[in-house]
Amino acid sequence: MSRPVSAAQWEAYLDEALPPEEMAAVEDALRRRPELAEALAEINGRRDAGIYSLGGIWRQTRLTCPTRDQLGSYLLGALPEGFCSYIRFHIQTVGCRYCAANVEDLRRAGRDTEATTEARRRKFFRSSAGLIKRY
Amino acid sequence: MGQSPSTDAILIQRIRAGETDAWNDLIKQFEGRLLAYVFARLRSQSASEDVVQETFVGFLTSLPNYDLSRPLESYLFSIAAHKLTDHLRREGRRPTVPLVSNKDSQGTWDVAGRQRAASSVMRSGERRNLEIEALSQALRQQIEAWRSQGEWTKIQCMELLFVRGTSNKQVAADLGLTEQQVANFKFDFLAKIRKSVRHQKLPRDVFPELHESS
């Protein structure tokens, strides 16, 4: 990361919400400078005390995340230019991990073979279905 | 942000009723995006699949407590984030962060120039959720207004300032604006949100950023 880490980015780090390369850079900084963990502990404390950061609420409630359908239309180039350019900004500049994952999944849907996907889903189902019960 | 909460709620109610087909549907619908989220960090297919598997197990374990008003996709991502963090800690990649600061044995925090004790803003989880909902509603209203007017630059400006924590100067450079324009957008935005928060009679001290100078 060329720019210094902002308080908003520290907070996003705690939520595993920064882009992967920034997460790795923060982890590297924490290993080299253990005193930085103190700053993170303070952010944890503020959150536990119920003091909100506007950016944290914006990110956690996903105020500006496009819907999955809109992301699909974005990939097809079927959105108006203004919105299209905003989505690009949201994913690439803001680095929204959740939207990036959705876009990657939509792209991959056309690449993975059906057999691979089905085998994976069956594995997930078999390892968890035993926990289903009536509530 | 995934499907509308009502569609999610129907799926969850079917799973709560013990329908394994509904569980299969949920896996089919969400495993790909969860896998992409985890894989972006781990870059290992088998390790990522293990984390997603733990996410689904974690979801079923927490199902009795799941709040149907919460968007399902966000809830699943938050479980995946926890499982991913645990995995990275086990691998020694993610340093452990203490839950509380050691700076002050009383557990107090300095907040935006005001000397306040954490206990003075300790509130019930329910109260906190109401406050978060009220603020996000105020933010959503303003964002929707800009969106409908095609004011994308203003949204980008606020997102960089608050979500990324980028400085006014850098935001101006990134978006091709003057610093004065950025300051004006921020001032107007905060004034509108403050007004909405006041209107809803929410405590001023739980949103310190709203009262800082731009």
Side-chain angles (χ1 to χ4, degrees):
Chain A
M1 270 182 294
S2 51
R3 296 177 191 172
V5 180
S6 68
Q9 285 171 292
W10 282 123
E11 204 174 337
Y13 168 77
L14 288 172
D15 293 335
E16 185 63 44
L18 284 177
E21 63 281 5
E22 291 184 30
M23 290 294 299
V26 170
E27 281 160 358
D28 186 48
L30 279 168
R31 269 188 292 272
R32 282 184 292 105
R33 297 175 55 202
E35 72 275 13
L36 291 176
E38 193 67 31
L40 282 174
E42 284 197 52
I43 292 172
N44 260 337
R46 275 199 293 272
R47 298 198 318 178
D48 287 347
I51 298 162
Y52 308 112
S53 99
L54 208 144
I57 291 176
W58 184 318
R59 183 167 38 73
Q60 282 170 17
T61 55
R62 303 184 59 192
L63 285 177
T64 39
C65 288
T67 64
R68 174 120 167 150
D69 287 347
Q70 288 169 334
L71 291 172
S73 301
Y74 162 74
L75 288 178
L76 294 171
L79 293 177
E81 177 46 33
F83 192 20
C84 203
S85 145
Y86 170 74
I87 293 178
R88 208 163 31 243
F89 161 87
H90 179 74
I91 294 171
Q92 292 174 7
T93 309
V94 177
C96 177
R97 280 271 293 280
Y98 315 118
C99 289
N102 267 295
V103 164
E104 177 55 23
D105 176 40
L106 289 165
R107 281 195 178 123
R108 224 171 59 175
R111 291 200 307 258
D112 284 0
T113 65
E114 205 171 311
T116 312
T117 308
E118 276 311 309
R120 198 176 61 224
R121 288 174 179 172
R122 264 199 309 276
K123 185 178 84 171
F124 292 146
F125 181 81
R126 282 180 186 151
S127 62
S128 56
L131 293 167
I132 297 177
K133 51 188 173 198
R134 284 175 184 274
Y135 294 100
Chain B
M1 290 178 55
Q3 293 187 314
S4 67
S6 58
T7 315
D8 291 345
I10 293 166
L11 186 61
I12 297 301
Q13 278 159 358
R14 287 177 54 213
I15 296 167
R16 280 179 172 163
E19 280 188 44
T20 51
D21 281 356
W23 180 238
N24 207 13
D25 289 347
L26 185 142
I27 289 174
K28 208 185 283 184
Q29 198 177 322
F30 291 101
E31 60 93 25
R33 64 194 89 171
L34 293 172
L35 195 56
Y37 169 78
V38 176
F39 184 82
R41 271 282 263 162
L42 299 183
R43 314 307 297 178
S44 152
Q45 184 68 17
S46 64
S48 302
E49 287 185 14
D50 288 348
V51 171
V52 173
Q53 195 165 319
E54 287 172 28
T55 301
F56 285 129
V57 168
F59 173 77
L60 282 181
T61 309
S62 71
L63 192 54
N65 304 318
Y66 173 65
D67 172 5
L68 285 172
S69 66
R70 192 170 174 188
L72 180 54
E73 186 191 77
S74 297
Y75 185 60
L76 286 165
F77 272 133
S78 72
I79 298 173
H82 281 111
K83 300 297 178 189
L84 178 55
T85 301
D86 287 346
H87 177 90
L88 290 164
R89 280 200 190 115
R90 282 197 300 271
E91 282 205 324
R93 275 177 64 183
R94 184 164 166 134
T96 304
V97 174
L99 287 174
V100 290
S101 167
N102 294 320
K103 273 187 183 168
D104 183 339
S105 60
Q106 302 300 306
T108 57
W109 316 98
D110 292 341
V111 182
R114 299 174 190 86
Q115 297 293 318
R116 311 179 62 251
S119 57
S120 71
V121 287
M122 281 288 188
R123 296 171 309 286
S124 71
E126 194 184 352
R127 174 78 195 154
R128 283 162 65 163
N129 288 342
L130 284 173
E131 287 162 359
I132 289 174
E133 181 49 34
L135 182 63
S136 62
Q137 224 177 63
L139 292 168
R140 194 173 290 119
Q141 268 174 12
Q142 184 53 55
I143 290 163
E144 280 309 318
W146 281 340
R147 207 179 258 160
S148 65
Q149 294 155 9
E151 300 260 32
W152 298 107
T153 308
K154 286 185 181 174
I155 298 176
Q156 289 174 325
C157 188
M158 292 311 117
E159 204 162 356
L160 283 179
L161 287 171
F162 293 106
V163 179
R164 292 287 301 171
T166 310
S167 69
N168 285 20
K169 187 177 177 178
Q170 192 58 53
V171 172
D174 288 352
L175 298 178
L177 300 167
T178 65
E179 280 188 63
Q180 189 57 54
Q181 280 176 307
V182 172
N184 291 345
F185 290 166
K186 186 177 177 182
F187 181 85
D188 288 345
F189 176 72
L190 287 177
K192 281 177 180 140
I193 304 300
R194 267 197 304 270
K195 191 176 164 192
S196 176
V197 164
R198 258 201 312 272
H199 185 68
Q200 298 184 64
K201 297 187 171 30
L202 292 170
R204 178 188 160 104
D205 52 1
V206 292
F207 306 119
E209 275 171 302
L210 292 179
H211 305 282
E212 288 166 11
S213 62
S214 50

